Amino acid sequence: MLSGISALLDAISALERDNGQAVLATVVKVEGSAYRRPGARMLIPLYGGTVGTISGGCLESEVAKKAWWLTDSGEAVIRRYSTATQDDDDDQDAALTFGLGCNGTVHVLLERHSAEKPLAVLELLRQVRESGQAGAVATVIGSYRNARVRVGERLFLHPSLTDSGRLLDPALDAEVRADLQRTLTDGHSSLRSYRDARGEIEVFCEYLAPQRRLVIFGAGHDAQPLTHMAKLLDWHVTVIDGRAHFARAERFPDADTVLQVDARPPYDLHALTNGAMVAIMSHSYSQDRHWLGSMLQGAPAYIGQLGPRDRTERLLEEIRQHSNAHLPALERLHYPIGLDIGGDTPESVATAILAEMTAAMNQRTGGMLKHRQAAIHTPTPLDCSDIETAARLTAS
């Protein structure tokens, strides 16, 4: 079962084995409301169905229908789709108005991909996935007539790459490289506009995050739906238990890794759990005490402990009594784990756990959207730079 970037990369590998061709559709800019954000991708093979989504289902058919015709020249193109109410849509240049009433415009980059002319951005996605290290890519999505750069030109940033690409305009190349480094450092995508005496060039600086990792301590029945649902989110899932009859791969066919690990000191799996989302749910008091104590001395991105509040507080008290070590990850501990949705089946518990993890990852509280006053999605920042000023600063 594959989803998200995993499904996309798997489809690309199959395409390359068969010497096939495809069009890659990428959301590069959103104005107003839209279901998917910049960076969403869909692969449109010459033969077979599409892989991935760029909307909630309203754009995919139209994009797939015309993608090959629109890219017939071999050049990258931008197509705009409006989801405004047709009576209210004043954008005469939009590729298509769907009249959905969402009042948004989605800009989609269409590019041909084949074994003879592979898209370097797909190789970067593969490197990010295989290495577990973040990357960044800057894509030109708008330029003026007779500009030295064209739509679809890119710069790349990743530790594994020896060739990061080049833009023909030296001043623009230097400025975009600096902004791309900031994108990687900040961990956020942004739209950037660069102006010179002749016009404006728009660039999408995209942060490519490594695959989210989930480590589950406890291989009981309730860990099975949690594993399955996490894979639907395209997370990498490791299941760990100290009991051999629980830690069996056949019990967790969706998991990437199933490990039997002795639940006694010392703990030497910090390389696996640091930066990961961690759920502790072994239903064994002694195991939970070991796993929780070890996690609190590491650097997971999130730690969740299953069970009643007073049970976890007893665990914490015993951990403090038996260890003089500092517990640096205590502020990232959530107990009882999960959002309060009122369910009690393994599936509803898994839903509550993943919902809280996702909220924590996105720095949200996990409340009802009906009570949210701000926009659901944070708008992609737009920054403007003066290329000539940047060139003078670089030269000096």
Side-chain angles (χ1 to χ4, degrees), residues 116-301:
E116 293 76 23
K117 285 188 172 183
L119 286 173
V121 68
L122 294 178
E123 180 57 30
L124 177 59
L125 286 173
R126 187 178 286 120
Q127 291 294 332
V128 169
R129 178 54 55 97
E130 292 176 355
S131 68
Q133 295 177 292
V137 55
T139 305
V140 176
I141 63 172
S143 63
Y144 55 85
R145 194 177 188 87
N146 296 324
R148 298 183 66 184
V149 294
R150 295 178 299 177
V151 167
E153 291 189 17
R154 288 187 170 97
L155 292 178
F156 305 96
L157 194 59
H158 189 266
S160 69
L161 295 180
T162 56
D163 182 7
S164 60
R166 181 172 65 90
L167 300 180
L168 290 178
D169 187 321
L172 178 63
D173 187 280
E175 183 71 1
V176 173
R177 285 184 190 277
D179 288 338
L180 197 58
Q181 182 60 61
R182 282 190 285 272
T183 297
L184 188 59
T185 302
D186 296 342
H188 298 290
S189 300
S190 65
L191 289 169
R192 297 185 178 271
S193 179
Y194 305 88
R195 294 188 180 95
D196 62 15
R198 292 170 293 173
E200 180 179 323
I201 296 168
E202 194 169 16
V203 176
F204 174 40
C205 289
E206 181 184 3
Y207 174 73
L208 300 175
Q211 187 177 25
R212 178 63 59 183
R213 293 179 291 118
L214 169 64
V215 178
I216 305 171
F217 287 103
H221 297 306
D222 51 354
Q224 292 171 328
L226 179 57
T227 300
H228 178 74
M229 292 181 186
K231 292 307 296 180
L232 290 176
L233 295 175
D234 198 24
W235 292 9
H236 183 282
V237 181
T238 300
V239 179
I240 298 174
D241 203 301
R243 298 160 292 194
H245 58 288
F246 279 149
R248 301 200 316 269
E250 60 268 23
R251 298 189 68 243
F252 295 90
D254 295 325
D256 295 277
T257 308
V258 179
L259 301 174
Q260 182 199 353
V261 178
D262 192 0
R264 291 177 293 182
Y267 177 85
D268 59 358
L269 297 177
H270 286 300
L272 177 66
T273 53
N274 284 351
M277 316 300 281
V278 173
I280 303 172
M281 45 195 300
S282 73
H283 299 281
S284 162
Y285 192 84
S286 61
Q287 280 205 57
D288 280 4
R289 182 174 56 203
H290 172 67
W291 303 132
L292 180 58
S294 301
M295 291 305 97
L296 292 175
Q297 296 180 46

Side-chain angles (χ1 to χ4, degrees), residues 35 38 44 57 70 92 101 106 141 179 189 220 238 272 359 371:
Y35 193 89
I44 309 166
L70 290 168
Q92 300 300 319
V106 180
I141 63 172
D179 288 338
S189 300
T238 300
L272 177 66
H371 299 310

